[in-house]
């Protein structure tokens, strides 16, 4: 099992930027992919993007493409979500996840989440 801890959330004005971090610990050697999800009040959790741990291949949801960037630091076992040009509709709890399979939809470890609030 992999333990994940997110940080970096907060309150920002529309058009601003935030960078979230996700520190992984425990059995990280089997991690294939790290992902970011978000859940806004009253809405289902949605996929934001992911990155493969070894090759750094990224995929993004259309809603964030061109504004958000996922990166990683293997030495620190940390994944980042750089969020630029933030919009009020980006307000949500953001979760980090880890997957041990090549299936891009499979994630078996989750963090507790960090709140991001974008004011208009």
């Amino acid at each position: 099992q992999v333990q994940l801890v997110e940080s970096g959330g907060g309150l920002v004005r529309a058009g601003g930027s935030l960078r979230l971090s996700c520190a992984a610990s425990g059995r990280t050697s089997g991690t294939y992919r790290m992902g970011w999800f978000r859940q806004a009040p009253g809405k289902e959790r949605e996929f934001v993007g992911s990155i493969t741990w070894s090759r750094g291949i990224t995929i993004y949801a259309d809603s964030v493409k061109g504004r958000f960037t996922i990166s990683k630091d293997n030495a620190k076992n940390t994944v980042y979500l750089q969020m630029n040009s933030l919009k009020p509709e980006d307000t949500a709890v953001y979760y980090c996840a880890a997957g041990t399979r090549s299936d891009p939809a499979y994630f078996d470890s989750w963090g507790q989440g960090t709140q991001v609030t974008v004011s208009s």
Side-chain angles (χ1 to χ4, degrees), residues 58-113:
T58 55
I59 55 175
Y60 298 96
D62 287 343
S63 58
V64 306
K65 202 171 292 183
R67 299 188 299 123
F68 290 11
T69 302
I70 297 175
S71 61
K72 63 184 179 69
D73 185 331
N74 291 66
K76 295 182 178 180
N77 280 339
T78 299
V79 173
Y80 304 98
L81 178 65
Q82 177 67 44
M83 305 184 293
N84 299 329
S85 302
L86 282 162
K87 306 175 182 179
E89 50 264 43
D90 294 318
T91 295
V93 177
Y94 282 71
Y95 297 92
C96 176
T100 55
R101 301 178 186 175
S102 59
D103 181 350
Y106 182 84
F107 294 91
D108 49 5
S109 297
W110 295 85
Q112 294 300 307

Side-chain angles (χ1 to χ4, degrees), residues 5 7 10 13 19 22 41 49 52 56 59 72 80 93 109-110 118:
V5 178
S7 61
R13 290 185 177 180
R19 189 178 80 156
C22 173
T52 58
I59 55 175
K72 63 184 179 69
Y80 304 98
V93 177
S109 297
W110 295 85
V118 184

